[in-house]
Amino acid sequence: MTTQQSKGTALITGASTGIGAVYADRLARRGFDLILVARDQQKLDALAARLRKETGRAVSTLKADLTVAADLRTVERRLAEDSRITMLVNNAGVGATAPLLESKVEDLDRMISLNVIALTRLTHAAAPGFAARGNATIINIASIVAIAPEVLNGSYGGSKAYVLALTQSMHKELGDKIRVQAVLPGATSTAFWDVAGTPVQYLPQEIVMTAEDMVDAALAGLDQGEVVTIPSLPDLAEWERFNAARMEMATRLSRNTPAARYLTEKVQ
Ligand code: NAP
């Protein structure tokens, strides 16, 4: 148990299991009080009880299905109105491993609703208070498929590319007021893979990280001031070259004439 002074409250979505539950553990040990959000009340209660006992932090739970409008509004209100909240971890998310033609559109719709719409609404609810108070952090859990969409279902990759783009844009717009970080995990050993349709046992084990190692690396990246953290990538310079090439190309992406290769002779 700790008597350490509170660093404020972290609201973590998808905290009932997997990556979110590890964030809850690590952030409590770093001195944060917690609000744990997910649908499974029993799992939330069990985790909250353990963390209260082991860390002495205040841990509350908020049962919410973030694809249900009324539940989402409740969490938005909490973020907008509770000035003790100093961190939002947008972690709740689902994946899909089936190719487009074998996917049910209802599943894709639900995935986008959670991975994109809920994340956006929660970010939008938290941001004004965070910006006004300063010293607050938003961690957005994206995925390596944000930059490698060919690896899994393209809608999942697209949803995570959105998370990365939103984070990069927020860093540009609000970086002096709110600390933002996008985390791009590779395959991580959680129930995610069962839900997505391919249990993690079917993956080559050399590409699978534990959720504990993934979160510890992501928090180390946060401590190092990274806006984008890719826990598995051995050489940071590789990401920096990729990102620098993108930023440099951005200066030539909008012009008043088409590129020369598209200037064909007009037929009279
Ligand atoms: P997980 O073990 O399946 O956990 C997902 C969490 O999200 C659970 O706590 C679940 O809780 C919650 N959740 C799911 N649907 C929800 C809904 N409609 N409303 C509220 N909460 C909901 O998966 P994970 O691996 O920890 O995934 C966490 C994040 O990491 C996701 O954004 C995922 O895309 C990302 N990620 C995972 C991997 C990987 O390989 N595992 C790789 C890259 C990125 P309840 O069921 O209790 O609601």
Side-chain angles (χ1 to χ4, degrees), residues 13-20 37-41 43-44 64-67 90-95 114-115 141-144 156 160 184-193 195:
T13 68
S16 61
T17 185
I19 291 168
V37 180
R39 294 167 302 180
D40 189 324
Q41 185 70 57
K43 282 189 189 161
L44 290 177
D65 182 336
L66 298 174
T67 63
N90 272 314
N91 164 75
V94 288
L114 182 62
N115 296 8
I141 306 301
S143 162
I144 55 155
Y156 177 60
K160 294 303 187 177
L184 277 60
T188 310
S189 182
T190 69
F192 169 91
W193 290 93
V195 179

Side-chain angles (χ1 to χ4, degrees), residues 241-263:
R241 282 196 301 275
F242 173 81
N243 200 40
R246 179 183 70 79
M247 303 272 273
E248 218 262 318
M249 186 170 65
T251 61
R252 294 181 297 279
L253 291 177
S254 183
R255 296 158 65 90
N256 59 6
T257 48
R261 67 187 174 283
Y262 303 123
L263 294 176

Side-chain angles (χ1 to χ4, degrees), residues 107-214:
D107 292 340
L108 300 181
D109 189 292
R110 240 189 327 273
M111 177 173 67
I112 292 166
S113 165
L114 182 62
N115 296 8
V116 175
I117 308 287
L119 178 138
T120 306
R121 294 197 66 109
L122 297 181
T123 300
H124 190 265
F130 280 13
R133 296 196 291 279
N135 206 20
T137 304
I138 298 180
I139 298 173
N140 289 328
I141 306 301
S143 162
I144 55 155
V145 297
I147 52 172
E150 295 83 359
V151 174
L152 294 176
N153 176 290
S155 302
Y156 177 60
S159 76
K160 294 303 187 177
Y162 175 92
V163 174
L164 174 60
L166 179 69
T167 310
Q168 289 171 315
S169 161
M170 283 183 67
H171 176 64
K172 171 97 189 331
E173 277 181 30
L174 291 164
D176 58 336
K177 300 188 181 73
I178 305 176
R179 190 152 180 214
V180 293
Q181 181 197 29
V183 178
L184 277 60
T188 310
S189 182
T190 69
F192 169 91
W193 290 93
D194 301 300
V195 179
T198 307
V200 75
Q201 294 83 335
Y202 290 89
L203 302 181
Q205 290 310 294
E206 63 274 17
I207 68 158
V208 181
M209 196 179 283
T210 66
E212 288 77 10
D213 282 351
M214 201 296 286

